Coordinates of all heavy atoms in Angstrom, one line a residue:
C1 N 263.0 203.0 47.8 CA 263.3 202.7 49.2 C 263.6 204.0 50.0 O 263.7 203.9 51.2 CB 264.4 201.7 49.3 SG 264.1 200.2 48.3
S2 N 263.8 205.1 49.3 CA 264.1 206.4 50.0 C 262.8 207.2 50.3 O 262.8 208.3 50.7 CB 265.1 207.2 49.3 OG 264.6 207.7 48.1
S3 N 261.6 206.6 49.9 CA 260.4 207.3 50.0 C 260.1 207.9 51.4 O 259.6 209.0 51.6 CB 259.2 206.4 49.6 OG 259.3 206.0 48.3
G4 N 260.3 207.1 52.5 CA 260.1 207.6 53.8 C 261.0 208.8 54.2 O 260.5 209.8 54.7
G5 N 262.3 208.6 53.9 CA 263.2 209.7 54.2 C 262.9 211.0 53.4 O 262.9 212.1 53.9
D6 N 262.5 210.8 52.1 CA 262.2 211.9 51.3 C 260.9 212.5 51.7 O 260.7 213.8 51.5 CB 262.1 211.4 49.8 CG 263.4 211.2 49.2 OD1 264.4 211.8 49.7 OD2 263.5 210.5 48.2
A7 N 260.0 211.8 52.3 CA 258.7 212.4 52.9 C 259.1 213.3 54.0 O 258.5 214.4 54.1 CB 257.8 211.3 53.4
I8 N 260.0 213.0 54.8 CA 260.5 213.9 55.9 C 261.1 215.2 55.2 O 260.8 216.3 55.7 CB 261.6 213.2 56.8 CG1 261.0 212.0 57.5 CG2 262.2 214.2 57.8 CD1 262.0 211.2 58.3
N9 N 261.9 215.0 54.2 CA 262.5 216.1 53.5 C 261.5 217.1 52.9 O 261.5 218.3 53.1 CB 263.4 215.6 52.4 CG 264.4 216.7 51.9 OD1 264.3 217.8 52.3 ND2 265.2 216.3 50.9
V10 N 260.5 216.5 52.2 CA 259.4 217.3 51.6 C 258.6 218.0 52.7 O 258.3 219.2 52.5 CB 258.5 216.4 50.8 CG1 257.2 217.1 50.4 CG2 259.2 215.8 49.5
A11 N 258.3 217.4 53.8 CA 257.6 218.1 54.9 C 258.4 219.2 55.4 O 257.8 220.3 55.7 CB 257.3 217.1 56.0
C12 N 259.7 219.0 55.6 CA 260.5 220.1 56.1 C 260.6 221.3 55.1 O 260.5 222.4 55.5 CB 262.0 219.6 56.4 SG 262.1 218.5 57.8
M13 N 260.7 220.9 53.8 CA 260.7 222.0 52.8 C 259.4 222.8 52.8 O 259.4 224.0 52.7 CB 260.9 221.4 51.4 CG 262.4 221.0 51.2 SD 262.7 220.6 49.5 CE 261.8 219.0 49.2
L14 N 258.2 222.1 53.0 CA 256.9 222.8 53.0 C 256.8 223.7 54.2 O 256.3 224.8 54.2 CB 255.8 221.8 53.0 CG 255.6 221.1 51.7 CD1 254.6 219.9 51.8 CD2 255.0 222.0 50.6
I15 N 257.3 223.2 55.4 CA 257.3 224.1 56.6 C 258.2 225.3 56.4 O 257.9 226.4 56.7 CB 257.7 223.2 57.8 CG1 256.6 222.2 58.2 CG2 258.0 224.1 59.0 CD1 257.0 221.2 59.3
K16 N 259.4 225.1 55.9 CA 260.4 226.2 55.7 C 259.8 227.2 54.7 O 260.1 228.4 54.8 CB 261.7 225.6 55.2 CG 262.5 224.9 56.3 CD 263.8 224.3 55.7 CE 264.6 223.5 56.8 NZ 265.8 222.9 56.3
A17 N 259.0 226.7 53.7 CA 258.5 227.6 52.7 C 257.2 228.3 53.2 O 256.7 229.2 52.5 CB 258.1 226.8 51.5
G18 N 256.8 228.0 54.5 CA 255.7 228.7 55.1 C 254.4 228.2 54.7 O 253.3 228.8 54.9
K19 N 254.3 227.0 54.0 CA 253.1 226.4 53.6 C 252.3 225.8 54.7 O 251.1 225.6 54.6 CB 253.3 225.4 52.5 CG 254.1 225.9 51.3 CD 253.3 226.9 50.5 CE 254.1 227.3 49.2 NZ 253.4 228.4 48.5
M20 N 253.0 225.4 55.8 CA 252.3 224.8 56.9 C 253.2 225.0 58.2 O 254.4 225.2 58.0 CB 251.9 223.4 56.7 CG 253.1 222.5 56.3 SD 252.5 220.8 55.8 CE 254.1 220.0 55.5
D21 N 252.6 224.8 59.3 CA 253.4 224.8 60.6 C 253.7 223.5 61.2 O 254.6 223.3 61.9 CB 252.6 225.6 61.6 CG 252.3 227.1 61.2 OD1 253.2 227.7 60.6 OD2 251.2 227.6 61.4
A22 N 252.9 222.5 60.8 CA 253.1 221.1 61.3 C 252.7 220.1 60.3 O 251.9 220.4 59.4 CB 252.2 220.9 62.6
A23 N 253.3 218.9 60.4 CA 253.0 217.9 59.4 C 253.0 216.5 60.1 O 253.8 216.2 61.0 CB 254.0 217.8 58.3
V24 N 252.0 215.7 59.6 CA 252.1 214.2 59.9 C 252.8 213.6 58.8 O 252.4 213.6 57.7 CB 250.6 213.7 60.0 CG1 250.7 212.2 60.4 CG2 249.8 214.5 61.0
V25 N 254.0 213.1 59.1 CA 254.9 212.5 58.1 C 254.8 211.0 58.3 O 255.1 210.4 59.4 CB 256.3 212.9 58.2 CG1 257.1 212.4 57.0 CG2 256.4 214.5 58.3
V26 N 254.4 210.3 57.2 CA 254.1 208.8 57.3 C 254.8 208.0 56.2 O 254.9 208.5 55.1 CB 252.6 208.5 57.2 CG1 252.3 207.1 57.7 CG2 251.8 209.5 58.1
G27 N 255.3 206.9 56.6 CA 255.8 205.9 55.6 C 255.2 204.6 55.8 O 255.0 204.2 57.0
A28 N 254.8 203.9 54.7 CA 254.2 202.6 54.9 C 254.3 201.7 53.7 O 254.4 202.2 52.6 CB 252.7 202.7 55.3
E29 N 254.3 200.4 53.9 CA 254.5 199.4 52.8 C 254.0 198.1 53.2 O 254.1 197.7 54.4 CB 256.0 199.3 52.5 CG 256.3 199.0 51.0 CD 256.1 200.3 50.2 OE1 256.8 201.2 50.4 OE2 255.2 200.3 49.3
S30 N 253.4 197.4 52.3 CA 253.1 196.0 52.4 C 253.0 195.3 51.0 O 252.0 195.4 50.4 CB 251.7 195.8 53.1 OG 251.4 194.4 53.3
I31 N 254.2 194.8 50.6 CA 254.3 194.3 49.2 C 254.3 192.7 49.2 O 254.5 192.1 48.1 CB 255.5 194.8 48.5 CG1 256.8 194.2 49.1 CG2 255.5 196.3 48.5 CD1 258.0 194.4 48.2
L32 N 254.1 192.1 50.3 CA 254.2 190.6 50.4 C 253.2 190.0 49.5 O 252.0 190.1 49.7 CB 254.1 190.1 51.8 CG 255.4 190.0 52.6 CD1 255.1 189.6 54.0 CD2 256.3 189.0 51.9
S33 N 253.6 189.3 48.5 CA 252.8 188.6 47.5 C 253.6 187.6 46.7 O 254.8 187.9 46.5 CB 252.0 189.5 46.6 OG 252.9 190.2 45.8
P34 N 253.1 186.6 46.2 CA 253.8 185.7 45.3 C 254.4 186.5 44.1 O 255.6 186.2 43.7 CB 252.8 184.7 44.8 CG 251.8 184.6 45.9 CD 251.7 186.0 46.4
L35 N 253.7 187.4 43.6 CA 254.2 188.2 42.4 C 255.5 188.9 42.8 O 256.5 188.8 42.1 CB 253.2 189.3 42.0 CG 253.6 190.3 40.9 CD1 253.9 189.6 39.6 CD2 252.6 191.4 40.8
M36 N 255.5 189.6 43.9 CA 256.7 190.4 44.3 C 257.9 189.5 44.7 O 259.1 189.8 44.4 CB 256.4 191.4 45.4 CG 255.5 192.5 45.0 SD 256.0 193.4 43.5 CE 257.6 193.9 43.9
I37 N 257.6 188.4 45.4 CA 258.7 187.5 45.7 C 259.3 186.9 44.5 O 260.5 186.8 44.4 CB 258.1 186.3 46.6 CG1 257.8 186.9 48.0 CG2 259.1 185.2 46.8 CD1 257.1 186.0 48.9
N38 N 258.5 186.5 43.5 CA 259.0 186.0 42.3 C 259.8 187.0 41.5 O 260.9 186.7 41.0 CB 257.9 185.4 41.4 CG 257.5 184.0 41.7 OD1 258.4 183.1 41.7 ND2 256.3 183.7 42.0
A39 N 259.3 188.2 41.4 CA 260.0 189.3 40.7 C 261.3 189.6 41.3 O 262.3 189.8 40.6 CB 259.1 190.5 40.7
L40 N 261.4 189.8 42.6 CA 262.7 190.1 43.3 C 263.6 188.9 43.3 O 264.8 189.1 43.3 CB 262.4 190.6 44.7 CG 261.7 192.0 44.8 CD1 261.1 192.3 46.2 CD2 262.7 193.1 44.4
S41 N 263.1 187.7 43.4 CA 264.0 186.5 43.3 C 264.6 186.4 41.9 O 265.8 186.0 41.8 CB 263.2 185.3 43.6 OG 262.7 185.3 44.9

């Protein structure tokens, strides 16, 4: 669940390290399914 926040952190580290000047930082999810509902329940 920290994937999105950690993506921001990783992008910042890459910029600070001089690997890039700009980043498209994205987080996304779609886990809705009977399997996941049953597993989490």
Side-chain angles (χ1 to χ4, degrees):
C1 306
S2 68
S3 298
D6 285 338
I8 296 172
N9 193 0
V10 169
C12 288
M13 287 192 288
L14 288 168
I15 290 174
K16 289 177 181 178
K19 303 294 184 182
M20 58 187 182
D21 297 321
V24 183
V25 189
V26 192
E29 212 77 64
S30 182
I31 70 165
L32 268 176
S33 67
L35 173 67
M36 292 310 304
I37 290 173
N38 274 306
L40 290 166
S41 296

